[in-house]
Amino acid sequence: IFACYEWCLTDKYDKDNEHHRKIKKDIEIGDGLPDLVHTSVCTKALSDAGFEVLEARDSMLDGHLGKGGEPWYTPLTPSWNPLKWPRFQFN
């Protein structure tokens, strides 16, 4: 079994909305990514590469993590505290 996460565009992305385009570009630049694509493109690419896709989901729709109620993106946020795991660390 292989698991990963990927930044993808959903059906809510509006290419004609300047704010949406700025968020997309900021994610691409900030994470050193090529052009972001729709979730269906990523899922198809995995299938085309020979993977059997067992699950694909939008983590934002999961809401909050665990009992602490932290947002889904908490593991992606930076922290100066080495005891905050799993988090990206600035040490």
Side-chain angles (χ1 to χ4, degrees):
I1 292 183
F2 170 76
C4 72
Y5 76 90
E6 185 68 42
W7 285 106
C8 297
L9 302 174
T10 68
D11 293 337
K12 291 184 177 185
Y13 176 73
D14 178 2
K15 65 179 174 47
D16 296 323
N17 183 315
E18 183 177 341
H19 183 65
H20 287 199
R21 290 193 312 269
K22 179 176 180 352
I23 291 170
K24 176 183 179 281
K25 184 53 76 180
D26 287 349
I27 290 170
E28 292 167 350
I29 291 171
D31 288 354
L33 298 172
D35 188 35
L36 296 181
V37 295
H38 191 271
T39 55
S40 62
V41 174
C42 289
T43 303
K44 183 178 182 319
L46 286 167
S47 294
D48 290 350
F51 288 96
E52 177 185 357
V53 178
L54 302 176
E55 179 182 0
R57 70 175 195 260
D58 183 347
S59 293
M60 197 287 293
L61 298 176
D62 292 347
H64 293 80
L65 303 172
K67 295 179 183 178
E70 294 180 315
W72 65 269
Y73 54 82
T74 297
L76 301 175
T77 58
S79 170
W80 291 97
N81 184 346
L83 301 177
K84 295 246 184 200
W85 178 256
R87 298 278 288 277
F88 289 105
Q89 300 298 313
F90 290 129
N91 294 330

